Amino acid sequence: MARSTRDADVSDDLRQAIHRTGYYPEVVADGVFSAAGGEDVVSFFVHHETTFDHEEVRRHLTALLLTPTRLVIAHTDEHPGDDLLPEPYTSTTTEAVTLTSIRTVVVTRMVANPTAGVAPPAEAVLTIGWGGVGRLDLEPAGCSDPNCDADHGYTGTLAGDDYTLRVSAAAEGKDAVGGLLAFADALSARTRG
């Protein structure tokens, strides 16, 4: 579920989208709006997903919101009781990133049967980078001499890996893919330097 406007506050629409998921709406909304810090919400995307963990079914919800100055990511998980908290509970983690800190907005669209012309994407992946998290992939370096046994050190790549969200029309519906792309467009428009 997504909504975006140029400058209007869509906080009420965000609250309704959270409530429509039926996933602990009061708890999720409390965490989301607390992280928004009283700012207007100009765009959002709500992603409710069910996952299977061995014999358990677990649900979680991610809300992405765009304010005039920040990107806010809120993620809520549900957990069974444990030694510390004997009753089932939720955990909500939020992160707020200033728009001026965002370095990259990467959007990948997967379109089935591209020879048939333009069609709505079957999947979309949004990756946002601001330098908070990086992934370093290393492998032993070598040379072209097959008889060489010298140590050439390592080679690798460093990739920003702050946040990635994938949405599929097969799993979440075409509207969800379109919603993620609309949010990505709004974010891209506000982060151009």
Side-chain angles (χ1 to χ4, degrees):
M1 295 170 219
R3 174 86 192 268
S4 180
T5 63
R6 185 65 186 145
D7 291 307
D9 184 16
V10 294
S11 295
D12 290 339
D13 295 335
L14 171 58
R15 191 175 299 279
Q16 290 172 14
I18 291 169
H19 277 268
R20 274 194 303 274
T21 69
Y23 181 78
Y24 309 110
E26 293 82 14
V27 172
V28 171
D30 182 58
V32 165
F33 286 103
S34 176
E39 285 191 274
D40 288 349
V41 177
V42 296
S43 184
F44 68 86
F45 180 73
V46 175
H47 183 246
H48 182 213
E49 185 177 27
T50 302
T51 58
F52 300 94
D53 184 16
H54 301 288
E55 290 110 31
E56 293 185 36
V57 175
R58 296 211 179 157
R59 302 176 300 156
H60 55 104
L61 187 137
T62 301
L64 306 176
L65 32 147
L66 186 59
T67 74
T69 64
R70 297 177 302 143
L71 165 68
V72 177
I73 302 168
H75 185 83
T76 302
D77 283 303
E78 64 183 351
H79 308 276
D82 55 31
D83 292 340
L84 230 49
L85 296 168
E87 295 183 31
Y89 63 96
T90 62
S91 62
T92 299
T93 303
T94 60
E95 184 168 7
V97 181
T98 59
L99 294 179
T100 56
S101 298
I102 295 175
R103 296 178 185 168
T104 59
V105 178
V106 180
V107 179
T108 305
R109 302 164 186 250
M110 283 67 87
V111 176
N113 193 14
T115 58
V118 178
E123 292 185 14
V125 178
L126 171 63
T127 301
I128 307 165
W130 56 88
V133 177
R135 182 182 69 245
L136 181 60
D137 294 321
L138 293 175
E139 62 184 37
C143 67
S144 59
D145 181 358
N147 297 319
C148 180
D149 61 356
D151 182 356
H152 294 285
Y154 288 88
T155 186
T157 58
L158 177 62
D161 200 16
D162 291 308
Y163 184 76
T164 299
L165 180 63
R166 176 183 168 267
V167 177
S168 166
E172 290 95 8
K174 291 179 184 177
D175 290 344
V177 174
L180 182 63
L181 293 172
F183 181 82
D185 289 349
L187 179 61
S188 290
R190 292 204 176 248
T191 56
R192 59 183 166 197

